[in-house]
Amino acid sequence: MLAASASAWTRWRSIAAHGASLTVRTVDVCPLFCAAGQLDLGREASTRLADLSVGRLPIAWTLLSPDGTGAVSLRYRTGSGKWWCGIRVIGHRNPLATLEVRAGNGWRRLPRSDDNYFLSADGTGCGGPIRIADVYGERLTVDRIAVQPDVAKPTGVPFVRHRS
């Protein structure tokens, strides 16, 4: 496997190296020994860019905003309720920057866990209004998504496709 290496949740990326280019779907995080901005490519993608004996290969990559018009869905993690909850956004097209929940008269940003759930350690905001922002600055606000663990609940709201 060529290590060309970024922490990578499911995203499409255009990659170029050694005069070759391809579009790949990255689906997980880079394993050990990857620096920020690196991609760990599978055998098929690696062999299209260079011989596997090359090892680490300098590449250039660009994040792509995929086609599609689907609305995002929310999934509450097992065990979520009024005392604690984990919220995952599904089908968000572009990488997410933040997830906030309504807390009193304002918004509270939730930290993201390694498995891509945003966590409310005290349950604040779970089942109430949620504001999601992508890395391009677009924000969506959704409401009335009942806390029902392990069920993808459609929001009816999509992120727009970003054009580079």
Side-chain angles (χ1 to χ4, degrees), residues 90-108:
I90 303 166
H92 45 83
R93 178 180 279 159
N94 302 317
L96 298 181
T98 61
L99 184 142
E100 300 169 303
V101 293
R102 177 68 88 186
N105 293 329
W107 293 94
R108 185 174 102 194

Side-chain angles (χ1 to χ4, degrees), residues 113-153:
S113 65
D114 289 340
D115 61 355
N116 220 22
Y117 276 90
F118 292 86
L119 305 177
S120 177
D122 61 3
T124 299
C126 295
I130 296 172
R131 188 164 64 186
I132 310 159
D134 71 11
V135 296
Y136 300 112
E138 183 179 1
R139 283 189 179 164
L140 303 178
T141 302
V142 297
D143 198 3
R144 297 184 198 92
I145 304 295
V147 178
Q148 189 176 0
D150 298 320
V151 176
K153 305 289 276 188

Side-chain angles (χ1 to χ4, degrees), residues 4 37 42 57 72 76 93 96 109 129 131 143 145 154 161 163:
L57 176 69
V72 298
Y76 283 96
R93 178 180 279 159
L96 298 181
R109 182 180 289 189
R131 188 164 64 186
D143 198 3
I145 304 295
R161 183 174 184 212
R163 305 264 182 210

Side-chain angles (χ1 to χ4, degrees), residues 11-98:
R11 293 285 148 250
W12 288 94
R13 289 177 168 80
S14 174
I15 299 175
H18 285 246
S21 65
L22 64 140
T23 299
V24 297
R25 182 177 184 209
T26 55
V27 295
D28 57 14
V29 294
C30 190
L32 298 175
F33 310 115
C34 288
Q38 293 184 323
L39 299 173
D40 183 22
L41 301 176
R43 180 175 289 278
E44 183 180 347
S46 296
T47 57
R48 290 180 57 198
L49 294 172
D51 187 274
L52 291 178
S53 65
V54 171
R56 288 191 183 267
L57 176 69
I59 64 166
W61 62 265
T62 304
L63 183 66
L64 301 176
S65 184
D67 288 329
T69 58
V72 298
S73 297
L74 298 179
R75 178 185 305 271
Y76 283 96
R77 178 185 250 161
T78 301
S80 291
K82 69 179 192 176
W83 305 112
W84 174 92
C85 77
I87 306 166
R88 178 181 279 171
V89 183
I90 303 166
H92 45 83
R93 178 180 279 159
N94 302 317
L96 298 181
T98 61

